[in-house]
Amino acid sequence: MKKLVELKQEFNSDLQTGLTDDQVAENREKYGKNELEEKKKTPMWLKFILEFKDPLIIILIIAAVVSVIVDPNEWIESVIIMVVVLINAILGLYQESKAEKSLEALKKMSAATCKVMRNSSLITIDAADLVVGDIIYVEAGDSIPADARIIECTNLKVEEAALTGESVPVGKNNEEIENDDIPLGDMKNCLFSSTYVTNGKAKAIVSSVGMGTEIGKIAGMLSAQEDEQTPLQQKLNYVGGVIGIMALAICVVVFVLEMIAADWKSSAFSEAFITAVALAVAAIPEGLATVVTIVLSIGVTKMSKENAIVKKLPAVETLGSCNVICSDKTGTLTQNKMTVTKIYVNEIKNPQDLTESEVEMITYFAVCCDASIETKNGKLTRIGDPTELALLDINIACGKDIHNYNRVLDIPFDSDRKLMTTVIKLDNKYVSITKGAPDRVINLSINSDEVKNNALNANQEMATNALRVLALGIQEFDYLPNAEELEKDLNFIGLVGMIDPARPEVKESIKVATKAGIKTVMITGDHIVTASAIAKELGILREGDKAITSQELEDLSDEYLAEHIHEYSVFARVAPKDKVRIVEAWQKNDAIVAMTGDGVNDAPALKKAEIGCAMGITGTDVSKEAADMILTDDNFSTIVSAVKEGRGIYDNIRKCVKYLLSSNIGEVLTIFVASLLTAFGIINLGTPLAAMHLLWINLITDSLPAFGIGMEAAEDTVMDEKPRSKKEGFFANGYSWKIVIEGIIIGGVTLLAYIIGEQESHALGQTMAFLTLSSTQLFHAYNVKSHHSVLSPKSYKNKFMNFAFIVGFALQVIVIYTPGIRDLFEFDPMNIGYFAICMGLSLVMVVIMEISKLINRKKHN
């Protein structure tokens, strides 16, 4: 680390008079402005155009355009196709247009103004106008405007939790540090942008501004990261690609078959192409993207009621498939509030049922504090060092009112003495109360060796358990003493041990997560002893697991870390780049990683992970904007609920895809087999279903029940299963064959209905095919939604599904029997006999699925 004199020479600064106006301009030109650079945003028009890059969308657009060119009279179907494409594009744009605001949030954290020495005068300027080499002054309550090296300071403490993750303010000094390779948390002679002073004051020279600051480096990391597709998006894109290739191939085959049947007459070209377009519409599940989006939205609504706000819809499913949660400690696993948990006078005990002397000690500790807890305008205000606030909290719970004590003299704490002393007047005596580091207070006491040794042993025991320990000693005077008489010949009274305690509900949540096959990893800026103690208490650090510091991590190669990442459960004293590296190491092992956090230092890792979960109460704006999900109650257990919901949603989406694709396969087979039979002269059939019929079924009949499937509640046993492998295909475990078989059945009954009706007229054949296909799919939705029999009352608990069935069936009847609408679809209003035939054929799928479910239940039992 460079020495202060080297910085002074490098920046051409005068430590007393500051920079001149000319030097300010020169340094701004050389080192840049104190502003964060924004990542170039994609224009809205380009985002809209990119919505049409999906192969399935391109196929539909080409089909619509060419269809009008080939036969201008068929413009209605082309318009409907284009409307469908536009609706899907608008929905996609709405989701993607939620612009990233991480850098804007970082800017909000920057100090608005600061005090700086320029031209030998102390002035206040906008923080954005600071330059490298400026001499700044900060004091308690100030936000630090840029990275700086301390020139001189008094009792300086800085809250750096948002940047380093350390739970208590850091004591600062102006001593030189020889080592260049140390963590941020150990740079005691440096100040960092967007942290703030809790105690004391300082004079410092600005060493970095804007993108050169530590927070600027985080901004750069955020800008450099590209948004990665979630596993669900990747799988659905794969499905879309496969469907697109198959659709094109089948369209070409059907077109050729139609032309063969017509002996390649040019007059048949138009009809053959229209059949091919109908097939393209049949093959492509137009409602799939919309259905998946709405199913995810339903999950988002459910989760918002469970205190989890999801910013990116696919994140719901992704969290359900995660197998590693990398969690920040401070404020996430712990309460981010120092709390006294142990008290020592003659023995170490919990702060319950205190004796009179122990109550008096607690009150003396609270009197000897500069912090305050007050209620102003109905709002509780807590000001001061978290350690002292913890002493006030325990006194409020167990001690006496400190406002009754008259403080007549104070000697403030400083890092050299490691002591603070307050003198109070009590009756006709003066009592000097000294609190501070245990070794200092005990060594200054006049107690017996036995008392001192017992106290030192108690201090060691509490420190080993990661407690922050303070000691108390007193003196009594008949007169008001002067400062020189204090802090010696003390009567040692006792010790208090405090820690930022674990959230009480987190331990059980980690148990549930472990049972569900999810590993929880602690990543913190705190010391390894403190982190390990909390991790053991919560069940994160178990037998055989390892804890490691940032410096030790630095010595490991990326290859070694990736190979051995499973061995580590605690990472302490980490820097922002370490967090990203840890996430990447897990990802190299094909893990789906969730990262929780609340600080600026968590933002890059939140964005890098498959899903980032920021804390809503204690979280910084930066972490919230970088994350995919915000936990409004800052409760780790909310993540477990989200995992359960995510797993249920993924299951529902698979059911939706199965339902929609089996329907589409049925539609394709109906048209393909009809063309095949005609081409080979087996039976002369027309087109069983027109493109308009298929669009209606795909968008109306299919979509409503699909939404109902998406509303199914997650099974209670879903958290007893292990997470899905990242490599597991969307159609794993024979799912694709089930879809194909169901599609064959749907296509078979639809074609049979068409052949029966076609014997009388083509219009009746298409009407019967339409009714049979739509009704089969409505019944099939109940088959797909649950493993229960359709005869079970459980199958009808989903009210939206029941509503969708009634509305869907009613719409089919309206289309077939309402004059005007019927003519548009070119339907023939069938009699009751043909209607009954269609209903009978529609129930074939239900019978087959019920037999299949019965066999599966017997196998399972």
Side-chain angles (χ1 to χ4, degrees), residues 414-432:
D414 76 44
S415 55
D416 292 330
R417 292 173 23 256
K418 297 182 180 178
L419 299 170
M420 174 183 176
T421 298
T422 294
V423 179
I424 60 172
K425 188 173 183 181
L426 198 62
D427 298 327
N428 295 321
K429 292 184 179 181
Y430 292 90
V431 178
S432 168

Side-chain angles (χ1 to χ4, degrees), residues 125-189:
I125 65 171
D126 288 340
D129 293 331
L130 268 183
V131 297
V132 167
D134 263 326
I135 308 301
I136 59 171
Y137 291 80
V138 293
E139 58 188 13
D142 287 348
S143 180
I144 295 170
D147 287 5
R149 177 72 69 83
I150 298 170
I151 300 169
E152 56 189 53
C153 64
T154 305
N155 300 329
L156 184 65
K157 287 189 178 182
V158 180
E159 173 60 74
E160 295 181 342
L163 186 64
T164 66
E166 188 153 359
S167 54
V168 296
V170 179
K172 296 287 186 176
N173 57 57
N174 62 348
E175 296 174 6
E176 297 288 354
I177 298 175
E178 298 295 333
N179 193 352
D180 289 332
D181 186 23
I182 57 173
L184 289 180
D186 292 335
M187 293 183 182
K188 305 295 186 183
N189 60 358

Side-chain angles (χ1 to χ4, degrees), residues 478-490:
D478 294 325
Y479 56 90
L480 179 63
N482 56 47
E484 290 74 22
E485 297 177 88
L486 303 175
E487 297 184 351
K488 59 183 179 180
D489 300 330
L490 302 177

